[in-house]
Amino acid sequence: MPEATDSGAPTQPMAPGPEPVALLEAVDKTYRMDEVEVPVLKGIDLLVRPGRFTVLLGPSGSGKTTLLNLIGGIDHPDRGTVVVAGHDIGPMSDDELSDFRARHVGFIFQNYNLLPVLSAYENVEYPMLLAGVPAAKRERRVHKLLQAVGLADRARNRPGQLSGGQRQRVAIARALALKPRLVIADEPTANLDSHTGKAILHLMRRMQQRYQISFLFSSHDRAVIGSADDAIFLKDGVIRGIRRKSEHPGSPADHPRAEVGT
């Protein structure tokens, strides 16, 4: 479907290309609290391009986390279609979604969600252990990932012995352990100081480029737009605009398609 500009006028559809890593059509989500219904997402149409570094921008309460949860198979839409990595995940049962997430999606959480009794090495290894990856292959993969995120010398440290930035580096390595098609990060720098946050954002970008996978992360900081290939602007549960960069710098697609006002 065409992407809407901030004024509501549709832009031209994107040219055909590789299969999107995520495709949402006419997605609604409402939460119910006792007698009250709270619409969170309304009529979401979204294509997430494969192999891109994509940011979802919006203020608190705009629906960013809910949208990420739907794409990550953590929650179900009330209406509409959610296709991720070529799979329609809307009709899946909880068990099917759990298996789907393990095979196709990596997660980076704002609060890291590392297991405190495990070392950095063991936290990165854990998803592979659950997936039945052979020991020798696990060992090679963990060492490679910890080296990539700059924590080879901290492999035996537990989370309590690491700084916030180091914990998030472990979380990034863990998210990549099973070679997912998509990595989802909900406000991954929110609990970090500005200097460490920029370093983590830069590391995520390097990992995305190194492993050629898709990263989709949320932020309320518009300063991250320049680091992203694509920027999706969400407000009041509605996509207000999408700005995409083309693969060929200088082409018209490098310029903003839409951008919400502040």
Side-chain angles (χ1 to χ4, degrees):
M1 293 186 66
E3 294 167 2
T5 64
D6 192 27
S7 64
T11 65
Q12 290 299 313
M14 290 180 60
E19 178 186 70
V21 71
L23 182 64
L24 288 73
E25 294 182 333
V27 167
D28 291 344
K29 182 65 181 179
T30 296
Y31 289 115
R32 293 164 181 84
M33 296 179 291
D34 297 326
E35 302 292 324
V36 179
E37 291 191 349
V38 181
V40 181
L41 297 175
K42 295 166 273 190
I44 297 294
D45 293 315
L46 177 63
L47 182 153
V48 181
R49 297 195 293 173
R52 298 300 197 280
F53 197 59
T54 301
V55 61
L56 178 62
L57 282 159
S60 297
S62 60
K64 300 189 301 297
T65 296
T66 299
L67 183 53
L68 292 180
N69 286 346
L70 294 181
I71 294 172
I74 295 174
D75 205 349
H76 293 271
D78 294 328
R79 188 176 73 88
T81 302
V82 181
V83 177
V84 181
H87 299 265
D88 184 354
I89 65 175
M92 290 184 182
S93 67
D94 289 343
D95 286 344
E96 289 170 333
L97 281 172
S98 179
D99 182 61
F100 169 83
R101 290 193 299 268
R103 289 184 290 114
H104 296 290
V105 185
F107 292 92
I108 301 169
F109 299 95
Q110 179 177 324
N111 294 320
Y112 323 125
N113 282 22
L114 301 178
L115 295 172
V117 298
L118 300 184
S119 66
Y121 181 102
E122 292 165 335
N123 267 284
V124 177
E125 181 189 36
Y126 192 61
M128 293 184 280
L129 197 63
L130 294 178
V133 177
K137 188 173 182 179
R138 293 200 308 268
E139 183 178 7
R140 289 194 301 271
R141 183 71 174 164
V142 174
H143 282 304
K144 182 178 180 179
L145 287 169
L146 287 177
Q147 182 71 40
V149 300
L151 288 178
D153 61 339
R154 299 282 187 169
R156 298 304 171 188
N157 288 60
R158 292 184 178 181
Q161 299 169 309
L162 301 172
S163 68
Q166 289 170 334
R167 293 180 197 181
Q168 199 61 295
R169 287 173 181 268
V170 175
I172 292 169
R174 180 186 58 188
L176 297 169
L178 290 172
K179 302 180 181 180
R181 289 277 307 278
L182 173 66
V183 171
I184 291 175
D186 189 8
E187 299 271 6
T189 63
N191 288 342
L192 304 173
D193 63 77
S194 59
H195 176 75
T196 305
K198 288 178 182 178
I200 289 298
L201 188 66
H202 180 66
L203 175 62
M204 286 170 48
R205 179 58 154 165
R206 283 198 292 110
M207 295 298 99
Q208 180 269 320
Q209 293 174 330
R210 176 171 179 169
Y211 295 105
Q212 289 297 294
I213 60 176
S214 304
F215 267 69
L216 175 63
F217 68 101
S218 64
S219 179
H220 60 268
D221 183 2
R222 295 170 68 89
V224 306
I225 295 174
S227 303
D229 296 315
D230 296 342
I232 301 159
F233 300 90
L234 191 68
K235 186 177 182 181
D236 298 328
V238 176
I239 292 178
R240 303 292 184 176
I242 298 175
R243 184 164 77 173
R244 302 189 189 274
K245 293 179 182 177
S246 74
E247 296 181 9
H248 308 289
S251 70
D254 278 327
H255 300 290
R257 287 186 176 219
E259 184 171 342
V260 294
T262 56

